[in-house]
Amino acid sequence: MRISYQRESEETDRLVALSDGVIAIAITLLVLEITVPEVPAGQSTAVLPELIVDQWSDFFAYVLSFLIIGLYWSLHRRTFIYISQHDRGLVWLNLVFLLLIAFVPYGTSLFSSYPSQFGVMFYAAVLALTGLSLTVLWAYASRQDLIETGLTSRAVLLQGARFLVSPLVFVLSIGVAVFDPQVAILTWFLLLPLNAVFESRIVRSLEDRK
């Protein structure tokens, strides 16, 4: 029985496969939320460009959500590169992460339909919780010694800090949205330089390990 459980705990491929499948479906659902505009009765198709421009919030939300889900997929992949085994706790934490990933298309649809204070705050809250769940997963794996041996404590901390960047940025934007939703949207672009900084530090830390 112990041997059987040991084999099960070392089988992380199915966790990764399930996660990749759910993330792929979530990304696909994003584009399905964008509908082709209907030309009002009695008007010519010449108004189509204007109708498409009016959908700017739909396209912006789609591209943003696609990139953020892609970022979370990349971080999730990075997580399971270093996780050599799992237990029930890790399985359920991974399911919580996937539950939130699957909810992102709804948050995206709400934000694109109502890019106002509530829409921005709701969307940011969904993305913050999604990123936080991945941070908790990494913290749990490191605390339970599920990470492969040889990874330095500095590298583990840098990874955890990078995972925490996204939820902190989105929480910050929620506070900013109370005063100005448009400025709150601009704070999301902080993800680009902050992730780049942590990525370079993580790479240097892993190179020093060799």
Side-chain angles (χ1 to χ4, degrees):
M1 188 70 177
R2 180 178 300 175
I3 295 177
S4 176
Y5 178 74
Q6 181 178 359
R7 288 176 179 173
E8 178 185 341
S9 67
E10 293 174 351
E11 185 189 26
T12 59
D13 291 346
R14 297 189 69 183
L15 277 178
V16 175
L18 172 65
S19 303
D20 287 348
V22 172
I23 292 172
I25 292 172
I27 284 181
T28 303
L29 289 175
L30 291 175
V31 74
L32 297 180
E33 296 293 333
I34 303 177
T35 58
V36 176
E38 294 185 6
V39 177
Q43 296 189 25
S44 68
T45 55
V47 300
L48 263 177
E50 182 180 350
L51 295 176
I52 292 174
V53 169
D54 289 340
Q55 289 183 295
W56 69 268
S57 60
D58 294 340
F59 296 121
F60 175 75
Y62 164 70
V63 173
L64 182 64
S65 294
F66 187 98
L67 293 176
I68 291 174
I69 291 180
L71 171 64
Y72 285 155
W73 172 81
S74 177
L75 295 177
H76 184 274
R77 172 181 170 275
R78 176 72 63 82
T79 299
F80 278 88
I81 285 177
Y82 300 112
I83 291 179
S84 56
Q85 56 183 330
H86 66 273
D87 58 13
R88 290 184 180 87
L90 189 73
V91 170
W92 282 103
L93 286 174
N94 190 63
L95 287 174
V96 170
F97 168 72
L98 296 180
L99 180 149
L100 292 166
I101 281 287
F103 192 67
V104 170
Y106 176 81
T108 303
S109 179
L110 183 69
F111 167 65
S112 63
S113 299
Y114 305 98
S116 56
Q117 183 185 72
F118 179 78
V120 170
M121 295 175 72
F122 185 90
Y123 181 64
V126 171
L127 295 178
L129 289 173
T130 305
L132 184 61
S133 68
L134 191 56
T135 307
V136 172
L137 188 152
W138 176 256
Y140 178 86
S142 59
R143 180 178 289 272
Q144 297 297 321
D145 294 325
L146 301 176
I147 299 175
E148 67 175 24
T149 57
L151 195 63
T152 64
S153 58
R154 182 172 183 271
V156 172
L157 289 175
L158 283 173
Q159 291 278 19
R162 187 190 178 186
F163 292 155
L164 200 55
V165 163
S166 298
L168 286 179
V169 168
F170 288 118
V171 168
L172 170 65
S173 72
I174 292 174
V176 175
V178 173
F179 305 98
D180 194 327
Q182 293 183 343
V183 175
I185 293 174
L186 293 177
T187 63
W188 297 341
F189 291 95
L190 291 173
L191 291 171
L192 297 175
L194 290 175
N195 274 284
V197 169
F198 276 100
E199 178 66 18
S200 63
R201 291 187 178 182
I202 290 170
V203 170
R204 284 200 300 269
S205 177
L206 293 176
E207 289 177 346
D208 293 341
R209 165 193 170 193
K210 296 179 181 179

